[in-house]
Amino acid sequence: MSGLREQKKAATRTALSWAAVRLTVERGFSAVKVEDIAAAVGVSPRTYNNYFSSKAEAIAFRHLERSLRLATDVRDGPPDEPLWEAITRASLRSLEPGPEVEHMPPQQPDEWPAGRQAMWAEPALQAELLRANKIAEKELAAAIADRTGRDPESDLYSRLVAASVMAANNVALELSVEAGQTEPMESLLPRALRMVATGLPTP
């Protein structure tokens, strides 16, 4: 029963995060209330507050969850898979939408690029994203250390690779939401990772 309860809590947290993203993109950050997010998932505002302390934290959690899933997939991938292939595979898998997106699909898809751009520009959200990135980077470094037989606490290599992968993710995300950008995250991210993996040679 404990396992099922934890799964339900995790699903609720993920659904709340996606609802916060979806509503913020559609309406704007200041126009969305906690009550709106809770109602979209069918829970009370009090329940929402058991999971998140702010809208920004709820939005950033989706990014954190995706990044933590990347770390888990890198650690659990085939042991004979080359490291950068494992990272690229896990990165692309982390972009796949979850079931909560099917239950609450985006509205007015044509308006999403502008809405996403405005959302990511919110100062409160940027602060939460920095915090999420540091958490995810530490987990990814530990996963890389596991794969390469190194000490995650003292190894320079695993930390540098993790920091580089997170940087590639962040830059690809920023570019994907910029006005006029036509290349999607699913294409930008593997291209960014290839550049990092080859040592960023001068174009």
Side-chain angles (χ1 to χ4, degrees):
M1 289 295 292
S2 178
L4 290 175
R5 184 162 55 247
E6 290 304 315
Q7 289 178 19
K8 184 176 180 181
K9 287 173 64 177
T12 300
R13 183 179 287 107
T14 297
L16 285 169
S17 179
W18 170 244
V21 170
R22 182 173 65 86
L23 293 174
T24 298
V25 169
E26 293 168 4
R27 304 178 187 178
F29 189 82
S30 60
V32 178
K33 299 179 180 180
V34 166
E35 291 80 2
D36 301 327
I37 301 170
V41 180
V43 301
S44 69
R46 182 176 178 180
T47 296
Y48 173 94
N49 290 328
N50 289 335
Y51 290 94
F52 301 112
S53 61
S54 67
K55 288 187 295 181
E57 184 183 8
I59 294 169
F61 178 77
R62 186 163 180 83
H63 175 70
L64 173 60
E65 186 180 45
R66 181 176 70 80
S67 301
L68 291 177
R69 189 162 67 243
L70 187 163
T72 298
D73 284 351
V74 167
R75 177 181 283 109
D76 296 342
D80 58 344
E81 185 177 27
L83 178 61
W84 281 100
E85 289 183 17
I87 289 171
T88 301
R89 172 189 52 75
S91 296
L92 287 173
R93 185 179 177 188
S94 73
L95 298 178
E96 297 174 359
E100 69 281 353
V101 180
E102 297 177 4
H103 298 152
M104 295 182 288
Q107 306 297 310
Q108 293 100 25
D110 292 344
E111 299 177 10
W112 262 64
R116 290 178 68 207
Q117 186 179 16
M119 180 182 70
W120 292 122
E122 281 292 331
L125 178 57
Q126 290 177 354
E128 284 292 339
L129 287 172
L130 285 174
R131 188 173 71 87
N133 280 336
K134 292 308 295 183
I135 295 171
E137 184 180 313
K138 184 176 181 179
E139 291 297 320
L140 181 57
I144 292 167
D146 282 352
R147 286 191 70 98
T148 56
R150 298 167 183 266
D151 180 0
E153 298 300 324
S154 61
D155 180 52
L156 178 63
Y157 177 80
S158 58
R159 289 191 177 194
L160 277 174
V161 172
S164 300
V165 171
M166 292 307 300
N169 268 270
N170 294 336
V171 171
L173 177 61
E174 290 169 2
L175 280 174
S176 71
V177 300
E178 285 186 359
Q181 175 60 252
T182 58
E183 188 174 1
M185 182 72 169
E186 291 78 4
S187 173
L188 280 166
L189 182 52
R191 190 154 66 90
L193 291 172
R194 282 195 299 273
M195 290 181 181
V196 173
T198 54
L200 289 174
T202 302

Short mmCIF file of all heavy atoms in Angstrom, two decimals, residues 36-62:
data_model
loop_
_atom_site.label_atom_id
_atom_site.label_comp_id
_atom_site.label_asym_id
_atom_site.label_seq_id
_atom_site.Cartn_x
_atom_site.Cartn_y
_atom_site.Cartn_z
N ASP A 36 -6.51 27.90 -9.52
CA ASP A 36 -6.70 27.46 -10.91
C ASP A 36 -5.93 26.17 -11.18
O ASP A 36 -6.45 25.25 -11.84
CB ASP A 36 -6.21 28.55 -11.87
CG ASP A 36 -6.93 29.87 -11.70
OD1 ASP A 36 -8.12 29.84 -11.36
OD2 ASP A 36 -6.30 30.92 -11.90
N ILE A 37 -4.71 26.11 -10.69
CA ILE A 37 -3.88 24.93 -10.91
C ILE A 37 -4.48 23.72 -10.20
O ILE A 37 -4.58 22.62 -10.77
CB ILE A 37 -2.45 25.18 -10.42
CG1 ILE A 37 -1.84 26.38 -11.15
CG2 ILE A 37 -1.58 23.94 -10.62
CD1 ILE A 37 -0.52 26.86 -10.56
N ALA A 38 -4.88 23.92 -8.95
CA ALA A 38 -5.48 22.82 -8.19
C ALA A 38 -6.74 22.31 -8.86
O ALA A 38 -6.97 21.10 -8.96
CB ALA A 38 -5.77 23.29 -6.76
N ALA A 39 -7.59 23.24 -9.33
CA ALA A 39 -8.84 22.85 -9.97
C ALA A 39 -8.59 22.05 -11.25
O ALA A 39 -9.35 21.13 -11.56
CB ALA A 39 -9.68 24.10 -10.29
N ALA A 40 -7.54 22.38 -11.98
CA ALA A 40 -7.24 21.67 -13.22
C ALA A 40 -6.91 20.20 -12.96
O ALA A 40 -7.10 19.34 -13.84
CB ALA A 40 -6.08 22.34 -13.94
N VAL A 41 -6.42 19.90 -11.77
CA VAL A 41 -6.04 18.53 -11.42
C VAL A 41 -7.12 17.86 -10.57
O VAL A 41 -7.09 16.65 -10.36
CB VAL A 41 -4.67 18.53 -10.68
CG1 VAL A 41 -4.23 17.13 -10.29
CG2 VAL A 41 -3.60 19.18 -11.56
N GLY A 42 -8.08 18.65 -10.09
CA GLY A 42 -9.15 18.08 -9.28
C GLY A 42 -8.78 17.90 -7.82
O GLY A 42 -9.27 16.96 -7.17
N VAL A 43 -7.90 18.77 -7.32
CA VAL A 43 -7.54 18.71 -5.90
C VAL A 43 -7.80 20.08 -5.28
O VAL A 43 -8.10 21.05 -5.97
CB VAL A 43 -6.06 18.32 -5.71
CG1 VAL A 43 -5.78 16.95 -6.32
CG2 VAL A 43 -5.12 19.37 -6.30
N SER A 44 -7.67 20.17 -3.97
CA SER A 44 -7.90 21.43 -3.27
C SER A 44 -6.62 22.26 -3.24
O SER A 44 -5.51 21.72 -3.37
CB SER A 44 -8.33 21.14 -1.83
OG SER A 44 -7.26 20.57 -1.09
N PRO A 45 -6.75 23.58 -3.06
CA PRO A 45 -5.55 24.42 -2.90
C PRO A 45 -4.68 23.95 -1.73
O PRO A 45 -3.45 24.06 -1.78
CB PRO A 45 -6.13 25.81 -2.66
CG PRO A 45 -7.46 25.79 -3.35
CD PRO A 45 -7.97 24.39 -3.13
N ARG A 46 -5.31 23.44 -0.70
CA ARG A 46 -4.54 22.93 0.44
C ARG A 46 -3.66 21.76 0.02
O ARG A 46 -2.51 21.66 0.43
CB ARG A 46 -5.49 22.51 1.56
CG ARG A 46 -4.78 22.01 2.81
CD ARG A 46 -5.78 21.69 3.90
NE ARG A 46 -5.10 21.17 5.09
CZ ARG A 46 -5.73 20.81 6.21
NH1 ARG A 46 -7.05 20.93 6.30
NH2 ARG A 46 -5.05 20.35 7.24
N THR A 47 -4.22 20.88 -0.81
CA THR A 47 -3.43 19.77 -1.33
C THR A 47 -2.28 20.28 -2.18
O THR A 47 -1.15 19.78 -2.09
CB THR A 47 -4.31 18.81 -2.16
OG1 THR A 47 -5.31 18.24 -1.30
CG2 THR A 47 -3.48 17.70 -2.78
N TYR A 48 -2.56 21.27 -3.00
CA TYR A 48 -1.50 21.87 -3.82
C TYR A 48 -0.35 22.34 -2.93
O TYR A 48 0.83 22.10 -3.23
CB TYR A 48 -2.06 23.06 -4.62
CG TYR A 48 -1.00 23.84 -5.37
CD1 TYR A 48 -0.71 23.56 -6.69
CD2 TYR A 48 -0.29 24.86 -4.74
CE1 TYR A 48 0.26 24.28 -7.38
CE2 TYR A 48 0.69 25.57 -5.41
CZ TYR A 48 0.95 25.28 -6.73
OH TYR A 48 1.93 25.98 -7.39
N ASN A 49 -0.69 23.02 -1.84
CA ASN A 49 0.34 23.56 -0.95
C ASN A 49 1.14 22.48 -0.23
O ASN A 49 2.21 22.75 0.32
CB ASN A 49 -0.30 24.51 0.07
CG ASN A 49 -0.78 25.79 -0.57
OD1 ASN A 49 -0.19 26.27 -1.54
ND2 ASN A 49 -1.87 26.35 -0.06
N ASN A 50 0.63 21.26 -0.22
CA ASN A 50 1.39 20.14 0.34
C ASN A 50 2.53 19.72 -0.59
O ASN A 50 3.48 19.05 -0.16
CB ASN A 50 0.48 18.94 0.59
CG ASN A 50 -0.46 19.15 1.76
OD1 ASN A 50 -0.18 19.95 2.66
ND2 ASN A 50 -1.59 18.46 1.74
N TYR A 51 2.42 20.11 -1.87
CA TYR A 51 3.42 19.71 -2.85
C TYR A 51 4.36 20.86 -3.24
O TYR A 51 5.55 20.64 -3.43
CB TYR A 51 2.72 19.20 -4.12
CG TYR A 51 2.03 17.87 -3.95
CD1 TYR A 51 0.68 17.80 -3.62
CD2 TYR A 51 2.73 16.68 -4.11
CE1 TYR A 51 0.05 16.58 -3.44
CE2 TYR A 51 2.10 15.46 -3.95
CZ TYR A 51 0.76 15.41 -3.61
OH TYR A 51 0.13 14.19 -3.45
N PHE A 52 3.81 22.05 -3.37
CA PHE A 52 4.60 23.19 -3.85
C PHE A 52 4.32 24.43 -3.02
O PHE A 52 3.19 24.64 -2.57
CB PHE A 52 4.30 23.48 -5.32
CG PHE A 52 4.59 22.34 -6.25
CD1 PHE A 52 3.56 21.67 -6.90
CD2 PHE A 52 5.89 21.92 -6.48
CE1 PHE A 52 3.82 20.61 -7.75
CE2 PHE A 52 6.16 20.85 -7.33
CZ PHE A 52 5.12 20.20 -7.96
N SER A 53 5.34 25.25 -2.85
CA SER A 53 5.19 26.48 -2.08
C SER A 53 4.92 27.69 -2.95
O SER A 53 4.62 28.78 -2.43
CB SER A 53 6.45 26.72 -1.24
OG SER A 53 7.59 26.88 -2.09
N SER A 54 5.02 27.53 -4.27
CA SER A 54 4.80 28.66 -5.17
C SER A 54 4.49 28.16 -6.57
O SER A 54 4.73 26.99 -6.89
CB SER A 54 6.03 29.57 -5.22
OG SER A 54 7.11 28.89 -5.84
N LYS A 55 3.99 29.06 -7.42
CA LYS A 55 3.76 28.71 -8.82
C LYS A 55 5.08 28.41 -9.52
O LYS A 55 5.19 27.47 -10.31
CB LYS A 55 3.05 29.86 -9.55
CG LYS A 55 1.60 30.05 -9.21
CD LYS A 55 0.97 31.10 -10.10
CE LYS A 55 1.58 32.47 -9.87
NZ LYS A 55 0.96 33.52 -10.71
N ALA A 56 6.10 29.23 -9.22
CA ALA A 56 7.40 29.04 -9.87
C ALA A 56 7.98 27.67 -9.55
O ALA A 56 8.55 27.00 -10.42
CB ALA A 56 8.36 30.15 -9.44
N GLU A 57 7.84 27.24 -8.30
CA GLU A 57 8.37 25.93 -7.93
C GLU A 57 7.62 24.83 -8.68
O GLU A 57 8.23 23.85 -9.12
CB GLU A 57 8.23 25.72 -6.43
CG GLU A 57 8.84 24.40 -5.95
CD GLU A 57 8.65 24.15 -4.47
OE1 GLU A 57 7.91 24.91 -3.81
OE2 GLU A 57 9.24 23.17 -3.97
N ALA A 58 6.32 24.98 -8.82
CA ALA A 58 5.53 23.98 -9.53
C ALA A 58 5.94 23.90 -11.00
O ALA A 58 6.07 22.81 -11.56
CB ALA A 58 4.04 24.30 -9.42
N ILE A 59 6.16 25.04 -11.62
CA ILE A 59 6.57 25.06 -13.03
C ILE A 59 7.96 24.45 -13.18
O ILE A 59 8.21 23.62 -14.06
CB ILE A 59 6.55 26.50 -13.57
CG1 ILE A 59 5.11 27.03 -13.60
CG2 ILE A 59 7.16 26.56 -14.97
CD1 ILE A 59 5.01 28.51 -13.86
N ALA A 60 8.88 24.85 -12.31
CA ALA A 60 10.26 24.37 -12.41
C ALA A 60 10.35 22.87 -12.14
O ALA A 60 11.28 22.21 -12.62
CB ALA A 60 11.15 25.13 -11.44
N PHE A 61 9.39 22.33 -11.40
CA PHE A 61 9.45 20.91 -11.08
C PHE A 61 9.38 20.06 -12.34
O PHE A 61 10.01 19.00 -12.41
CB PHE A 61 8.33 20.50 -10.13
CG PHE A 61 8.33 19.03 -9.81
CD1 PHE A 61 9.23 18.50 -8.91
CD2 PHE A 61 7.45 18.16 -10.44
CE1 PHE A 61 9.27 17.15 -8.63
CE2 PHE A 61 7.48 16.80 -10.18
CZ PHE A 61 8.38 16.29 -9.26
N ARG A 62 8.66 20.49 -13.33
CA ARG A 62 8.59 19.70 -14.57
C ARG A 62 9.98 19.61 -15.21
O ARG A 62 10.37 18.55 -15.71
CB ARG A 62 7.59 20.31 -15.53
CG ARG A 62 7.38 19.44 -16.78
CD ARG A 62 6.12 19.79 -17.51
NE ARG A 62 5.96 18.94 -18.68
CZ ARG A 62 5.44 17.72 -18.66
NH1 ARG A 62 5.01 17.21 -17.54
NH2 ARG A 62 5.33 17.02 -19.77
#
